[in-house]
Amino acid sequence: QVQLVESGGGLVQPGGSLRLSCAVSTVTLDYYAIGWFRQTPGKEREGVSCITTSGRSTWYADSVKGRFTISRDYAKRTVYLEMKNLKPEDTAVYYCATPRNLDCDVSYGADSWGKGTLVTVSS
């Protein structure tokens, strides 16, 4: 099993930047694909980004392409989401999770969700 803990959320002005972290704790040395999702009250959860087990392949939602960058540090067992040029529409609770599809097709859903970290983009 795997435990995920998000951190790094907060209040930022439009155009600002944040880096979210997802600490991954596992019983074994197995690695997982890690996806970032976000959700606002009353709206559907949407996939934001994903990185494969090897880190060789990544995926981004069209709405964040060119602004967000996902990466992972295997030694620290941490996955990052660097967010630049943030917009009010990026305001949401951000969750990291382990996608069921290891090729990072997030439409298949995910397991082992973290508790989320709130990102608020407002002036």
Side-chain angles (χ1 to χ4, degrees):
Q1 294 187 349
V2 58
Q3 289 183 309
L4 307 172
V5 180
E6 304 94 336
S7 62
L11 176 64
V12 63
Q13 294 184 336
S17 301
L18 282 175
R19 187 180 73 169
L20 305 183
S21 298
C22 175
V24 183
S25 299
T26 61
V27 176
T28 70
L29 296 177
D30 293 341
Y31 293 110
Y32 297 82
I34 300 294
W36 285 97
F37 301 78
R38 65 187 181 187
Q39 187 170 30
T40 57
K43 297 183 178 180
E44 296 180 358
R45 179 198 65 203
E46 64 174 335
V48 176
S49 185
C50 184
I51 187 165
T52 58
T53 302
S54 67
R56 298 189 183 99
S57 182
T58 59
W59 171 87
Y60 299 92
D62 290 341
S63 60
V64 305
K65 285 182 179 178
R67 300 189 297 118
F68 291 10
T69 302
I70 191 170
S71 62
R72 64 192 307 167
D73 186 324
Y74 291 99
K76 295 182 178 180
R77 305 299 298 273
T78 301
V79 174
Y80 302 99
L81 184 68
E82 297 179 75
M83 306 184 295
K84 298 181 178 180
N85 191 25
L86 283 162
K87 304 175 180 180
E89 65 194 73
D90 296 317
T91 296
V93 176
Y94 284 72
Y95 302 88
C96 61
T98 53
R100 294 189 177 94
N101 183 277
L102 297 181
D103 292 323
C104 276
D105 184 345
V106 298
S107 67
Y108 288 90
D111 299 314
S112 301
W113 296 82
K115 298 296 183 181
T117 185
L118 176 63
V119 173
T120 303
V121 184
S122 176
S123 59

